[in-house]
Amino acid sequence: MNLIAAAIAVGLAALGAGIGNGLIVGRTVEGIARQPELRPVLQTTMFIGVALVEALPIIGVVISFIVMNR
């Protein structure tokens, strides 16, 4: 059961991060297309958002390792 719980945790974390990254990058591309002069600001904000979203799967993997060791 621990292995199944760990696999579900990692899978859902990766799925959520993929959806989140897609939304962030898509909206950034839309913003750049509308106002190209704001590209540096939008890209900086996008990279910060992507980094925060990518923390989710890392936390999921850590939690799955904790669950597997019990």
Side-chain angles (χ1 to χ4, degrees), residues 4-65:
I4 294 172
I8 290 173
V10 172
L12 289 177
L15 180 67
I19 292 170
N21 284 337
L23 291 173
I24 290 170
V25 173
R27 299 296 165 97
T28 302
V29 169
E30 287 178 11
I32 291 172
R34 290 179 188 206
Q35 293 184 331
E37 67 275 2
L38 291 179
R39 180 179 177 195
V41 176
L42 291 173
Q43 277 187 336
T44 302
T45 305
M46 178 195 70
F47 287 132
I48 292 170
V50 167
L52 292 174
V53 169
E54 283 298 321
L56 177 70
I58 294 169
I59 292 169
V61 168
V62 169
I63 290 173
S64 69
F65 283 144

